[in-house]
Amino acid sequence: MRADFTANADTFPKLLLINAATRANRPANRLKDYGVWQTWTWLQVLEEVRSFALGLAELGIGRGDKVAIIGGNRPRLYWTICAAQSLGAIPVPIYQDSVAEEMSYVLAHAAAKVAVVENQEQVDKVLSIAERVPELSHIVYDEPRGMRDYDHTRLKSFEDVQALGHAAGKSKYLGDAWERKIAETKGADVAVILYTSGTTGNPKGVMLSFDNVMISSRNANQFDRLTDREEVIAYLPMAWVGDHIFSYAQSYLAGFCVNCPESPETVVENRREIGTTYAFAPPRIYENLLTLTMVRMEDASRLKRAMFHFFIGVARKWGENILNRERVPLHARLLYGLGEILVYGPLKNRFGLSRIRVAYTAGEAIGPEIFRFYRALGINLKQLYGQTEASVYVTAQPDGEIYADSVGKPSPEVEIKIADNGEVLFRSPGVFLGYYKDPQKTAETKTPDGWVHTGDAGFFDPKSGHLKIIDRSKDVGRLKDGTLFAPKYIENKLKFFPNIREAVALGDKSDFVCVMLNIDLVSVGSWAERNNVVYGSYQELAADPRVYDMVAKDVDAVNRALAEEGPMAGAQIKRFLILHKELDADDGELTRTMKVRRSFIAERYAPLVKALYDGSEEVDITTQVTFEDGRKGAISARVKIRDMPIYPPAGEAAPLEKKAA
Amino acid sequence: MFYREAGQFKTSYAADQAIFPIVQDRIFVLLVLLAAYIIPPVFLGSYWFNAILIPFLIFSMAALGLNLLVGYCGQLSLGTGGFMAVGAYASYKLTTVIFPDLGMIFIFLLSGLVSAAVGVVFGLPSLRIKGFYLAVATLAAQFFLQWLFNKVPWFYNYNSNGTIESPPRSLFGTIMEPGGMLEALSFLNPLVTSPRATPVTKYLFALTLVVVFALIAKNLVRGRVGRAWMAIRDMDIAAELIGIRPMQTKLLAFAISSFYCGIAGAMLLNLYLNSAETLAFGINISFEVLFMVIIGGLASILGSFLGTAFIVLTPIFLTNALPAIGLPLDTAGQKHVELMMFGGLMIFFLIVEPHGFARLWQIAKEKLRLWPFPY
Amino acid sequence: MRAPSTAEIAAGQVLLAVEDISLAFGGVKALTEVSFEIEKGEIRAIIGPNGAGKTSMLNVVNGFYKPQQGRIVFKGVSHSEMEPHEAAASGIARTFQNVALFKSMTTLDNIMAGRTLKMHRGLFWQILHVGPAAEEEIEHRRKAEEIIEFLEIPHIRRIPVGRLPYGLQKRVELGRALAMEPDLLLLDEPMAGMNLEEKEDMSRFVLDVNNQFGTTIALIEHDMGVVMDISDRVVVLDYGRKIADGTPDKVRDDPDVIKAYLGVSH
């Protein structure tokens, strides 16, 4: 193994100097531009960063100044991060799609002196709010298109600034003046301010030090054994902590190449060209890919479709065992090998994941079926749990210990404890310095001894020792006997069954848990067709006893699973019903982003709720509805209620606190 | 299915514009070439060379030439046989009278040039007329050339039977033969023509010529010249408007196409027939080569080979297949059945895939790249 | 109203002068004694009712039709008649009302074909396709890619244009004309048959071409809104005669123009 020259560097500009010396001709960045992948080696990146940094210095940027970065994933914007850091200035990446209002808040709050933006669109946006940010002296743009007629007194192109820096490098900053500036940067300095948009109130600026970012990232690199041979595609917003860690910090530390796609529309194609080895995507991307696969295969010839489904079946049966290097019978291995040639290999090729070593999903729960599909194909998809305040890594799944419903074990050097109300707290070298200009919020989130409140409730699975996140901690309630009740956790478990479209779990301050369900009309409808069940409407199908039987099996499976899960065992579903109408955003039952509005529903269907808890077998209800054309009407129905068996909790409850090794 | 393109990215235009940008294609072509150079010489007998491989290569050369003209430049020609005759007669006059010491490789190239010059002359009508009318004009060229070589005894050296013959000549000529300037290189200078040359030598010579000229054809069509041809073919008014000169472009296509046909004619005489009359370059040859191009696929280098293979191999296959299934026919009857089946097959293919084999190949390749998805 | 570009500030120079042009087919007069000037860097619209002779005018300028009378002075050089490829070589590019692309060629090849005049390597190098010809090919590929990026069509780079929707074909045709780096760009109804969004895109591209490359543009257009928005000056033709010439505002209020439009089509 080669010596790790980077071990002593404590800031990214220092790392850049080292990479430029030890990996001078290895690729550092690529950008698909003008039809081919333009490549910059570490040495070239150093030159680009140096001239831009000196140019920024000429614009008056110095220690402690803020440099805003707005735009898509472009090498120059990544270089800006390092250039600013080399001067002791602090980069502030801002979401490019944020509205002018939000952008002006962040720019003004951070008091950015220079904004480095991608193109005309961003220039226009920043110019429109410029008077609200008095500190802002210059706007630098990457893409010169359409900029010719602009007033260039406060506006400069990236090249102009580099030319300025180049000239200054020949007169003012002779020799190693810039390198000496870099030497002044220290691990404890603020490396970056990342604004997180909370659901309420203004965004908060999370200050991360070099130490925070570097220790977290170095640990992550070691955890997944990343080397300078990795290829990643940078396509998630630069202002999001994940991209900052994956596409900047981990790249600088391991020395691997970050590839920027041609445009947001060509990410999939560009990923296929590059063949990424390390990837991150939120669950919806994996979901969409799977849906697309299934839809396309529906159009394939019968033979091909039959072959596809046969081998996917083989993969679902054996793939995960093979990926986890378990013992499998020879015939299974041979079949899987054949499937690799005929289906899995080509499929991974189409996904651009042929060479993937580690793929992560995080952010929200991923459907176990989806998760297992990718694992079965031999893609090492894993889950992690992270936060901006933690420099991403709180927990991650180690290779070979993968569960669809956990987020893994504490990452290296991370301590985790679970508060009495179920909230997850952590302490790690990655813990943020504080919220910028907001000591009060900092104190609310971070305890004096360094523990951070995540705002998420979770528990350690007694069997695997993995952390499971159940819900936002403010949404977690308790049954009358004090048992934890996490409605979203139960609802998600139910919704992962294809027959169940929506679920509303009730139980806070009650004796037991009940759920109200919507069946999935597509899935149950096709079952009805196959089994000659005649139905005229959703309401009719939902009331069919055979549908109740089918759904009861799913609910039962959820109960069995809950029984295995320590603190969740007490919150099994005692009674359920299938709603007589589909929950609808037009009726206010769902938000526009399709989340259930639990309290509104409980109120609207009060008779149903009452019946659930008073033990009735069925109940009559009339509900006002809004039709698609806007007319109002009412539907009446007799809704049946099912009782479900409850299982005794398995094993001991998990210890509430667990420390990393 | 076999295409695993993930990770094959291009960092330069040179790589992006390579003839075979996909690694798997490069490997495949390399294997085919290796096989073509190694397998026949080592494993196959002279029947294979004389009946199948050498004619295939010669007609591939003609098909390549005609495809440049018809497929890429859109100028229909029925004069292929005539231009091949020019090449053959030129090579005869050159070897026997004008440059008796010159190596065969140079003779071939010169014959090509003569043919190219003749091609330009008969391409002149294309400046005024298009489509069917042009086809008729080239047909006139075909008949005129055939008549010319028959009527003027100078072309066959005034010999009594009116045939031309291939004299024994080496690859590079006397300069590499004992007593020549480059005597030391004589091991590189095998005898390539006349019945005394071995079929293997002839085959390797023909193969090398075809490989080199296929590469040249590909280079032409993927550059400025090819784009100008295709522009003229697709929309001549617009082509003129972007500065493409119709006259130069069309005449260049006629010249280069005739060059290829001329070499093919010289090859036909010197590497295959050994002696020939004008009949060997008749109108049926023109049609056969045109069929090769159409069945193989217009505007496709690969198609030229596929079409030639089909037209050359199918009759041979039928000749061997009919007796094998025990059809009790006399030779003449068998010939008739062959022709009928051959015609039927051609009609079938043109109905199933009017764009030729190359298009089928392309579709298959596209399917394999998208596998397992249908689109 | 947009700010004047540097190209416009340097303007005032006459790039093309149409002098006293008359054109007839048999006995039918298409153009009668038409004269106007196009200044360097401007966007000049040619409008008029159907059959007013607009397309004939463009055909005269780029050499398709030979006028019976009058002359064209382009960049100070007088031509009484020109071959189309000569017009191309002297710096005039053109798009057509009904799209005249090379349908079986890809977007990239169409645009590369537009660079034919700029490519000079001879047959010998073309055959080898290494060395100078390959270098030239790469150099021009880069130019073609710049145009592809400018027109925002990288996703259709490798698609034969015959398979593209109409709006994109128009864009590729503009790209092919731009590839010639013309001094004068003639656009024959660039927005014909487009929906509103496509029209807006195309207007933006026309303005950007003028602004970014300083290209002088003469365009025929039916959509008066577009004409008023993007053109600097307007020539109005009716029955082959010029009836008005001036800024969009002036032309709009001209009684002859109103009469011609009201009398013919509305």
Side-chain angles (χ1 to χ4, degrees):
Chain A
M1 204 182 130
R2 61 189 293 171
D4 188 6
F5 297 100
T6 64
N8 298 321
D10 57 355
T11 69
F12 292 105
K14 290 179 189 171
L15 273 180
L16 178 60
L17 293 174
I18 293 168
N19 281 334
T22 58
R23 301 189 170 98
N25 296 315
R26 294 279 311 155
N29 287 120
R30 287 195 202 96
L31 168 68
K32 180 102 190 255
D33 201 12
Y34 299 117
V36 285
W37 289 94
Q38 320 281 347
T39 310
W40 289 269
T41 64
W42 282 106
L43 191 60
Q44 287 167 320
V45 168
L46 175 70
E47 287 314 311
E48 299 276 357
V49 170
R50 181 206 305 269
S51 56
F52 190 67
L54 294 181
L56 283 179
E58 286 302 282
L59 297 184
I61 293 293
R63 263 197 100 71
D65 290 333
K66 315 295 182 300
V67 176
I69 297 168
I70 311 166
N73 309 79
R74 313 275 292 186
R76 281 174 167 179
L77 298 188
Y78 285 106
W79 301 339
T80 304
I81 298 177
C82 193
Q85 288 174 341
S86 76
L87 302 173
I90 300 162
V92 184
I94 299 175
Y95 286 93
Q96 66 178 115
D97 53 0
S98 39
V99 290
E101 207 52 47
E102 198 178 315
M103 195 175 279
S104 80
Y105 172 82
V106 173
L107 281 173
H109 186 260
K113 267 180 99 168
V114 170
V116 181
V117 308
E118 185 186 355
N119 54 24
Q120 188 184 11
E121 186 189 340
Q122 310 300 341
V123 170
D124 288 345
K125 215 188 268 181
V126 175
L127 280 177
S128 75
I129 56 176
E131 74 269 24
R132 278 180 270 174
V133 190
E135 294 86 355
L136 191 68
S137 66
H138 285 93
I139 302 170
V140 181
Y141 56 86
D142 173 9
E143 189 69 56
R145 163 125 196 226
M147 299 300 305
R148 223 173 77 151
D149 293 345
Y150 282 66
D151 173 10
H152 271 68
T153 44
R154 298 176 63 192
L155 216 52
K156 288 209 155 31
S157 74
F158 197 88
E159 286 98 343
D160 288 345
V161 177
Q162 282 189 318
L164 250 142
H166 207 72
K170 286 192 176 141
S171 52
K172 256 197 244 177
Y173 306 96
L174 288 172
D176 60 351
W178 183 58
E179 284 77 359
R180 284 204 307 276
K181 273 180 187 289
I182 288 178
E184 285 170 29
T185 59
K186 297 185 306 296
D189 292 349
V190 178
V192 66
I193 300 179
L194 297 164
Y195 279 81
T196 59
S197 48
T199 40
T200 52
N202 283 318
K204 297 173 286 186
V206 178
M207 293 188 289
L208 296 175
S209 69
F210 286 108
D211 285 341
N212 291 156
V213 177
M214 289 187 91
I215 295 172
S216 270
S217 303
R218 187 174 278 136
N219 285 339
N221 281 353
Q222 278 163 6
F223 184 73
D224 285 314
R225 295 182 302 280
L226 301 183
T227 69
D228 62 359
R229 303 281 143 166
E230 313 301 333
E231 298 281 355
V232 306
I233 286 263
Y235 70 104
L236 292 158
M238 285 181 68
W240 176 63
V241 67
D243 188 67
H244 189 75
I245 301 291
F246 291 113
S247 308
Y248 180 72
Q250 289 188 235
S251 155
Y252 271 58
L253 276 160
F256 61 71
C257 183
V258 173
N259 299 281
C260 299
E262 190 163 27
S263 69
E265 296 85 50
T266 58
V267 171
V268 174
E269 193 192 323
N270 292 160
R271 185 191 291 129
R272 181 157 58 244
E273 287 171 6
I274 290 295
T276 49
T277 63
Y278 178 53
F280 175 87
R284 71 184 151 77
I285 292 198
Y286 295 105
E287 268 172 54
N288 292 346
L289 208 55
L290 178 57
T291 312
L292 206 69
T293 303
M294 292 308 174
V295 168
R296 284 198 181 169
M297 287 317 296
E298 280 309 300
D299 294 335
S301 62
R302 282 172 74 112
L303 190 70
K304 213 197 246 181
R305 205 163 57 224
M307 178 206 72
F308 176 81
H309 287 299
F310 172 76
F311 281 109
I312 291 298
V314 170
R316 283 193 191 277
K317 195 159 176 201
W318 301 109
E320 282 199 83
N321 308 55
I322 289 173
L323 188 65
N324 293 340
R325 297 175 197 287
E326 289 160 23
R327 286 179 68 89
V328 287
L330 183 66
H331 76 273
R333 206 169 271 282
L334 288 177
L335 261 183
Y336 190 84
L338 190 59
E340 174 72 26
I341 296 171
L342 289 172
V343 177
Y344 323 139
L347 212 52
K348 282 183 277 187
N349 179 50
R350 294 312 295 163
F351 295 157
L353 296 177
S354 296
R355 305 202 295 164
I356 199 82
R357 291 209 305 115
V358 184
Y360 275 111
T361 167
E364 43 195 305
I366 186 167
E369 283 303 301
I370 300 164
F371 189 70
R372 288 200 190 105
F373 173 80
Y374 289 99
R375 303 238 356 129
L377 291 182
I379 295 166
N380 188 17
L381 181 60
K382 310 201 286 181
Q383 302 199 51
L384 65 77
Y385 172 64
Q387 286 203 320
T388 310
E389 287 83 350
S391 310
V392 174
Y393 294 96
V394 178
T395 65
Q397 294 181 328
D399 284 342
E401 286 186 47
I402 311 297
Y403 309 96
D405 54 356
S406 91
V407 293
K409 288 181 168 170
S411 292
E413 296 189 57
V414 178
E415 301 167 79
I416 294 179
K417 63 179 180 186
I418 311 283
D420 289 341
N421 66 351
E423 187 177 7
V424 178
L425 284 83
F426 66 89
R427 187 160 71 176
S428 76
V431 166
F432 70 127
L433 298 175
Y435 294 116
Y436 184 56
K437 293 192 206 164
D438 200 344
Q440 192 199 335
K441 280 247 172 61
T442 307
E444 280 170 22
T445 311
K446 193 165 110 171
T447 64
D449 52 351
W451 288 95
V452 177
H453 292 269
T454 58
D456 287 325
F459 67 96
F460 277 100
D461 185 66
K463 269 195 309 192
S464 62
H466 279 217
L467 182 67
K468 292 188 176 184
I469 298 296
I470 51 181
D471 204 344
R472 296 294 297 164
S473 53
K474 65 176 166 49
D475 293 335
V476 174
R478 282 181 190 275
L479 302 185
K480 271 192 183 144
D481 63 4
T483 314
L484 274 185
F485 163 68
K488 199 164 136 203
Y489 189 68
I490 296 169
E491 288 162 10
N492 275 342
K493 270 190 186 295
L494 287 165
K495 275 158 66 178
F496 287 143
F497 289 96
N499 289 333
I500 299 173
R501 184 173 173 78
E502 285 298 346
V504 184
L506 307 163
D508 192 24
K509 300 182 191 75
S510 307
D511 292 323
F512 50 84
V513 178
C514 296
V515 293
M516 302 196 280
L517 302 171
N518 265 166
I519 51 170
D520 189 285
L521 199 51
V522 177
S523 173
V524 180
S526 84
W527 165 85
E529 211 167 285
R530 284 196 307 274
N531 293 282
N532 297 321
V533 176
V534 185
Y535 67 99
S537 65
Y538 172 87
Q539 190 182 343
E540 219 171 293
L541 191 62
D544 193 297
R546 281 166 292 182
V547 173
Y548 261 82
D549 289 345
M550 196 162 59
V551 171
K553 277 192 204 127
D554 296 342
V555 175
D556 190 55
V558 170
N559 277 351
R560 280 172 199 275
L562 288 171
E564 306 271 313
E565 295 186 287
M568 307 311 293
Q572 292 178 42
I573 301 158
K574 192 149 184 212
R575 310 192 77 201
F576 82 92
L577 59 79
I578 300 177
L579 283 168
H580 55 294
K581 76 172 275 284
E582 290 185 276
L583 296 176
D584 196 334
D586 287 339
D587 290 329
E589 295 157 337
L590 300 175
T591 65
R592 288 288 159 193
T593 52
M594 295 296 152
K595 293 192 174 117
V596 293
R597 295 172 63 185
R598 229 168 270 127
S599 53
F600 177 84
I601 293 168
E603 218 167 279
R604 183 171 158 90
Y605 297 105
L608 296 183
V609 176
K610 182 169 165 288
L612 278 169
Y613 284 99
D614 69 9
S616 324
E617 292 289 310
E618 48 186 28
V619 55
D620 290 313
I621 185 165
T622 303
T623 315
Q624 297 293 322
V625 292
T626 313
F627 296 110
E628 269 177 31
D629 56 9
R631 283 183 302 121
K632 305 246 182 222
I635 50 172
S636 314
R638 174 161 294 180
V639 178
K640 281 175 289 222
I641 296 173
R642 264 300 157 98
D643 285 289
M644 296 302 298
I646 303 288
Y647 297 89
E652 289 288 311
L656 281 181
E657 193 168 328
K658 183 156 184 123
K659 294 209 172 163
Chain B
M1 165 162 54
F2 305 107
Y3 287 98
R4 303 286 164 79
E5 286 165 66
Q8 295 186 29
F9 55 88
K10 310 291 180 217
T11 55
S12 71
Y13 294 129
D16 193 50
Q17 293 173 345
I19 298 180
F20 303 106
I22 304 172
V23 173
Q24 283 84 352
D25 280 346
R26 272 204 296 281
I27 294 170
F28 178 70
V29 169
L30 217 67
L31 288 178
V32 168
L33 270 182
L34 268 178
Y37 272 99
I38 294 170
I39 292 175
V42 176
F43 296 104
L44 299 181
S46 60
Y47 169 79
W48 276 86
F49 292 109
N50 291 329
I52 300 174
L53 294 173
I54 294 177
F56 165 73
L57 289 171
I58 292 171
F59 281 102
S60 297
M61 182 72 105
L64 273 174
L66 188 66
N67 213 337
L68 293 181
L69 184 65
V70 183
Y72 286 94
C73 196
Q75 310 298 308
L76 191 50
S77 165
L78 290 173
T80 315
F83 298 128
M84 286 173 75
V86 173
Y89 279 86
S91 74
Y92 176 68
K93 288 302 286 188
L94 288 167
T95 44
T96 54
V97 181
I98 305 171
F99 298 120
D101 296 334
L102 211 52
M104 221 49 211
I105 178 88
F106 307 111
I107 296 288
F108 277 20
L109 293 177
L110 287 174
S111 308
L113 287 179
V114 173
S115 183
V118 175
V120 169
V121 173
F122 287 103
L124 284 172
S126 71
L127 304 181
R128 289 268 165 215
I129 53 179
K130 290 178 189 173
F132 276 119
Y133 301 98
L134 181 62
V136 172
T138 53
L139 195 58
Q142 165 76 35
F143 288 132
F144 170 76
L145 288 169
Q146 230 179 314
W147 170 84
L148 183 74
F149 294 132
N150 229 346
K151 277 288 169 235
V152 182
W154 179 81
F155 287 112
Y156 47 89
N157 286 352
Y158 307 98
N159 64 20
S160 53
N161 52 7
T163 57
I164 52 174
E165 278 178 6
S166 170
R169 288 287 184 276
S170 58
L171 187 56
F172 294 101
T174 52
I175 48 166
M176 282 195 200
E177 280 163 14
M181 265 166 54
L182 299 170
E183 193 186 333
L185 295 174
S186 62
F187 64 95
L188 287 174
N189 193 27
L191 184 73
V192 288
T193 57
S194 88
R196 275 161 48 204
T198 67
V200 173
T201 323
K202 288 181 175 180
Y203 165 75
L204 290 177
F205 181 35
L207 178 64
T208 307
L209 274 174
V210 169
V211 168
V212 169
F213 279 94
L215 180 67
I216 289 176
K218 184 71 198 174
N219 282 344
L220 281 173
V221 299
R222 69 196 175 121
R224 172 175 65 85
V225 173
R227 281 193 299 270
W229 285 343
M230 291 186 277
I232 289 280
R233 173 195 67 193
D234 282 0
M235 176 83 58
D236 52 358
I237 294 176
E240 219 181 327
L241 210 91
I242 55 172
I244 293 170
R245 298 179 170 211
M247 186 173 75
Q248 275 92 327
T249 309
K250 285 182 189 172
L251 290 186
L252 183 66
F254 268 99
I256 291 177
S257 166
S258 307
F259 181 88
Y260 275 73
C261 293
I263 290 189
M267 288 166 78
L268 191 62
L269 172 68
N270 293 293
L271 301 181
Y272 182 59
L273 296 174
N274 294 319
S275 70
E277 309 173 51
T278 48
L279 221 58
F281 307 96
I283 178 72
N284 54 331
I285 294 276
S286 296
F287 277 115
E288 241 173 60
V289 178
L290 187 64
F291 290 156
M292 290 171 188
V293 170
I294 292 173
I295 286 211
L298 289 165
S300 162
I301 301 290
L302 175 73
S304 310
F305 290 102
L306 296 178
T308 309
F310 180 80
I311 303 263
V312 170
L313 294 183
T314 311
I316 293 167
F317 172 76
L318 290 175
T319 310
N320 291 313
L322 288 179
I325 57 169
L327 268 182
L329 284 173
D330 55 16
T331 335
Q334 193 186 322
K335 202 79 207 156
H336 287 303
V337 174
E338 265 174 48
L339 273 175
M340 280 159 58
M341 290 183 69
F342 186 51
L345 269 175
M346 262 179 62
I347 291 170
F348 173 76
F349 271 113
L350 287 179
I351 289 170
V352 172
E353 185 48 72
H355 297 289
F357 285 122
R359 177 91 187 115
L360 279 180
W361 175 271
Q362 209 186 347
I363 292 170
K365 182 172 153 178
E366 204 48 39
K367 286 239 179 243
L368 284 180
R369 285 178 75 177
L370 291 174
W371 186 278
F373 296 136
Y375 52 85
Chain C
M1 200 59 213
R2 67 206 176 86
S5 66
T6 41
E8 284 162 281
I9 293 159
Q13 265 172 289
V14 174
L15 180 71
L16 177 98
V18 174
E19 293 179 2
D20 203 23
I21 292 285
S22 291
L23 174 75
F25 301 105
V28 185
K29 283 199 163 183
L31 294 169
T32 313
E33 293 161 8
V34 177
S35 301
F36 62 91
E37 288 173 348
I38 298 177
E39 285 172 4
K40 209 169 186 165
E42 76 174 335
I43 298 181
R44 190 80 145 112
I46 302 173
I47 63 169
N50 286 329
K54 302 176 302 262
T55 300
S56 298
M57 192 64 243
L58 290 197
N59 284 342
V60 168
V61 172
N62 78 292
F64 272 133
Y65 295 160
K66 318 275 181 265
Q68 279 82 18
Q69 179 196 320
R71 56 177 200 152
I72 303 283
V73 183
F74 181 60
K75 292 200 277 191
V77 183
S78 167
H79 308 268
S80 56
E81 54 183 55
M82 236 189 320
E83 287 298 321
H85 63 83
E86 288 169 348
S90 68
I92 300 175
R94 154 101 194 248
T95 70
F96 290 84
Q97 193 178 340
N98 304 317
V99 182
L101 282 170
F102 311 128
K103 293 234 180 329
S104 60
M105 293 161 69
T106 63
T107 298
L108 179 62
D109 276 342
N110 267 279
I111 293 171
M112 285 293 280
R115 302 213 45 94
T116 302
L117 275 177
K118 309 260 171 202
M119 300 175 80
H120 307 290
R121 294 294 165 199
L123 198 59
F124 175 72
W125 292 115
Q126 295 285 336
I127 284 169
L128 289 185
H129 211 276
V130 287
E135 279 165 30
E136 187 181 57
E137 188 83 4
I138 285 166
E139 180 192 327
H140 290 273
R141 166 78 190 273
R142 167 77 194 198
K143 294 273 185 199
E145 287 289 346
E146 281 169 18
I147 289 165
I148 285 174
E149 181 155 311
F150 180 83
L151 294 175
E152 295 162 14
I153 46 176
H155 54 292
I156 57 166
R157 188 184 284 120
R158 301 271 183 205
I159 299 178
V161 293
R163 282 195 233 153
L164 296 175
Y166 181 73
L168 280 176
Q169 290 197 10
K170 285 232 139 192
R171 221 188 275 188
V172 176
E173 200 189 18
L174 176 62
R176 189 183 63 191
L178 287 179
M180 296 169 67
E181 296 178 36
D183 298 307
L184 176 62
L185 180 58
L186 310 176
L187 304 176
D188 195 347
E189 299 203 26
M191 285 91 171
M194 288 188 166
N195 63 33
L196 189 66
E197 197 190 329
E198 288 172 327
K199 273 186 189 177
E200 277 171 6
D201 277 348
M202 189 51 101
S203 303
R204 185 162 55 85
F205 288 128
V206 171
L207 284 173
D208 279 355
V209 167
N210 179 252
N211 177 297
Q212 200 106 323
F213 310 128
T215 310
T216 310
I217 294 171
L219 67 102
I220 296 175
E221 186 48 58
H222 268 302
D223 187 321
M224 290 309 279
V226 170
V227 170
M228 296 298 153
D229 277 353
I230 69 174
S231 54
D232 297 305
R233 290 195 301 158
V234 183
V235 177
V236 190
L237 299 180
D238 190 21
Y239 291 113
R241 287 175 188 278
K242 184 169 96 172
I243 58 169
D245 189 347
T247 62
D249 290 336
K250 198 184 121 197
V251 164
R252 187 169 36 200
D253 300 333
D254 189 300
D256 285 342
V257 176
I258 293 166
K259 204 175 105 204
Y261 270 84
L262 290 178
V264 174
S265 54
H266 299 288

